[in-house]
Amino acid sequence: MGHLTDLAKSILASAEAIEAHLEKTNTPIPSFEADSNIMPDDMEIIGAKLQLQTDLQDLDMLALGPREFLTAGMIGNVHDVTVINVLNQFNFWDAVPLKGSITYADLASKVKLPEALVRRLLRFSMTRHMFASTSSGSDSVKHTSVSAIFVLQPQIRCIIGHQLEEIAPACINVPQALRHWNNDAEHPSKSGCAYTFFKDTLYEAGTFEWFGKPENAYRVERFAGAMNYMMQSPAMSFTNLHNMYDWRALGAATLVDVGGSEGHISYELARAYPDMKFIVQDLPEVQASFDKARPSELDSRVSFTAHNFFKEQPVKGAEVYFMKHILHDWSDPWAAKIIQQLTAAMKPGSKLILCEGVLPPADKAPAPIVRLLSALDMQMLVALNAKERTVEDWQALLKLADERLVFKGVHQPPGVGFAIIEAEFAG
């Protein structure tokens, strides 16, 4: 039997398994209708969903062949970016009613673009089921489930805006950045983003420092919205932390939440482990937000200290130093400097607990997971000259920072989008 039919049979088996689960749980089967539900993230069907995605991608590549996949496919993918960027910036999402439809002429008037251009843009977007004609030959447009999500979950616009207005232009400039700075893929001010937006200024903190300029306040607000939206995913929820590590075994420990922003993780842990105390550290300008966010019942157990994690750690001898999604923003030399400020303050037995992504071996994980995590690695490269890391990479980083740090292991339950990486200071 040919490989194409094998893939087709596997696709059918996965689809049947997913539909059987949806019927069992009385969940409507997703469609492209605007009011359709979204495919659930139920653990029982994750395997079938990943297998379905893998087989569909392989079948598509084989059906097209390398030439068509790389030429026609690339042209289409590039102009997905073109069209979605226009739809997002000119807010087609709100211009089309969530229920009902709108004529092309009225839509063009609302978004203030020529009607002929609106027709061209939507003709392309409809090939991705993003908006649809009300019927064949109709002169009216309606939402689909793909376009309606921009209305129903508006923070997704922040992700799209960040990706298309900051990351996409920087992607194109990665080769130029490498040539311009002699293949330096580590300095935070020598990334594709740096080349695109601040080539002539060598900021110490790279893109983060550029983001902090007053003229970029709207970018910061949009990025915060994008991160908040991502955290709403069950796989990224703070509540997963409880099942990933034996926090209760720490007893009456003091945990220093380095780069902890407004303190949300410390609040989550403080509520569950009343014997622990927490010190949230971030830049001075974050304190007002922390003070506003801190629940009054936690005033005595969660405090804030202004601190730059590249500077000397002011809290000496704490039982736990904790960082969540900090080190993936920095290349190894910079990440090692951050860790060294902590080891200089540690006592024998102090723990370093990192909450980070861990790249799986490419041959040990489903292809869609490998592709997504590898894409996040490219995101770090483009934006920050930083990286996502494998288990071996994390072990090497800890050794580079301080050989007295003893790697204790990685904890990551199935279905969770991040891991706990634990090390202990031997002294």
Side-chain angles (χ1 to χ4, degrees):
M1 187 178 293
H3 191 44
L4 293 177
T5 51
D6 289 342
L7 284 169
K9 286 189 172 185
S10 180
I11 288 168
L12 179 60
S14 297
E16 288 176 339
I18 293 169
E19 288 200 353
H21 173 78
L22 296 178
E23 290 175 5
K24 180 181 176 182
T25 57
N26 294 316
T27 304
I29 295 173
S31 72
F32 290 116
E33 293 301 316
D35 59 354
S36 172
N37 70 298
I38 297 173
M39 181 69 75
D41 290 322
D42 297 355
M43 287 294 295
E44 294 87 345
I45 55 172
I46 282 180
K49 285 170 61 178
L50 291 172
Q51 188 62 56
L52 180 61
Q53 293 170 50
T54 300
D55 292 339
L56 286 169
Q57 178 178 289
D58 288 351
L59 187 61
D60 184 43
M61 292 180 71
L62 289 172
L64 285 173
R67 179 178 177 276
E68 291 301 314
F69 181 80
L70 292 171
T71 54
M74 182 65 71
I75 292 170
N77 290 339
V78 165
H79 294 299
D80 283 338
V81 171
T82 305
V83 172
I84 295 174
N85 197 18
V86 176
L87 300 184
N88 201 48
Q89 292 203 35
F90 286 82
N91 195 10
F92 278 59
W93 325 121
D94 290 333
V96 176
L98 191 57
K99 295 182 179 180
S101 62
I102 187 171
T103 65
Y104 280 100
D106 287 345
L107 176 57
S109 176
K110 277 194 168 187
V111 298
K112 297 181 172 54
L113 290 173
E115 182 180 338
L117 176 59
V118 168
R119 289 178 179 272
R120 292 169 64 193
L121 293 165
L122 292 185
R123 180 174 60 207
F124 183 84
S125 74
M126 287 177 186
T127 67
R128 292 291 202 187
H129 297 285
M130 188 171 289
F131 296 109
S133 296
T134 54
S135 62
S136 179
S138 168
D139 203 47
S140 295
V141 178
K142 65 178 182 177
H143 269 294
T144 64
S145 58
V146 181
S147 57
I149 195 170
F150 287 88
V151 180
L152 299 172
Q153 299 180 19
Q155 277 192 318
I156 200 172
R157 305 180 197 191
C158 297
I159 295 178
I160 298 301
H162 172 63
Q163 287 298 113
L164 300 188
E165 295 180 45
E166 277 107 46
I167 301 301
C171 288
I172 302 302
N173 284 326
V174 169
Q176 289 90 326
L178 289 170
R179 293 190 186 99
H180 184 73
W181 285 303
N182 298 316
N183 298 332
D184 187 340
E186 293 187 332
H187 195 290
S189 272
K190 297 181 180 179
S191 64
C193 194
Y195 186 91
T196 304
F197 296 107
F198 52 96
K199 181 173 67 173
D200 298 324
T201 305
L202 213 61
Y203 291 118
E204 180 182 354
T207 301
F208 288 116
E209 194 168 344
W210 172 73
F211 251 44
K213 299 298 176 184
E215 62 270 23
N216 288 327
Y218 75 98
R219 299 184 193 270
V220 174
E221 182 178 0
R222 180 169 61 197
F223 182 73
M227 293 301 99
N228 286 337
Y229 182 79
M230 294 292 286
M231 290 301 108
Q232 293 171 20
S233 163
M236 300 302 293
S237 172
F238 295 157
T239 59
N240 290 312
L241 286 169
H242 301 295
N243 302 321
M244 299 174 69
Y245 190 78
D246 188 2
W247 303 98
R248 200 170 301 280
L250 296 172
T254 294
L255 183 148
V256 182
D257 186 356
V258 182
S261 188
E262 297 176 1
H264 293 296
I265 289 193
S266 286
Y267 307 147
E268 176 73 29
L269 295 176
R271 290 188 181 99
Y273 310 104
D275 292 336
M276 294 180 66
K277 291 189 176 181
F278 300 82
I279 301 171
V280 177
Q281 296 181 334
D282 215 302
L283 298 176
E285 53 266 32
V286 177
Q287 179 151 13
S289 298
F290 169 87
D291 291 340
K292 184 177 180 180
R294 180 175 55 184
S296 58
E297 70 271 18
L298 298 178
D299 282 357
S300 64
R301 294 177 46 230
V302 184
S303 60
F304 183 91
T305 299
H307 176 58
N308 179 332
F309 49 55
F310 283 109
K311 306 298 183 182
E312 179 182 353
Q313 172 57 237
V315 181
K316 312 295 183 183
E319 286 75 24
V320 182
Y321 294 86
F322 174 86
M323 289 186 284
K324 182 178 186 293
H325 292 162
I326 299 295
L327 298 182
H328 79 146
D329 288 335
W330 304 93
S331 63
D332 285 351
W334 271 258
K337 291 176 185 177
I338 295 170
I339 296 172
Q340 286 162 359
Q341 298 300 335
L342 301 181
T343 56
M346 286 179 171
K347 63 184 179 181
S350 289
K351 294 182 180 295
L352 175 63
I353 298 179
L354 307 174
C355 186
E356 293 275 3
V358 176
L359 293 173
D363 60 344
K364 298 288 178 63
I369 297 296
V370 173
R371 180 168 174 78
L372 173 62
L373 295 178
S374 298
L376 293 176
D377 183 39
M378 292 299 98
Q379 182 97 348
M380 296 298 103
L381 171 70
V382 170
L384 305 165
N385 255 352
K387 62 194 291 188
E388 300 293 344
R389 295 175 172 90
T390 64
V391 171
E392 293 76 17
D393 290 334
W394 283 112
Q395 290 175 299
L397 174 60
L398 294 172
K399 185 176 181 180
L400 173 68
D402 196 316
E403 293 193 352
R404 295 171 295 176
L405 280 173
V406 180
F407 177 75
K408 290 294 186 178
V410 172
H411 314 276
Q412 185 170 17
V416 178
F418 54 89
I420 290 289
I421 302 153
E422 181 184 8
E424 188 171 301
F425 187 64

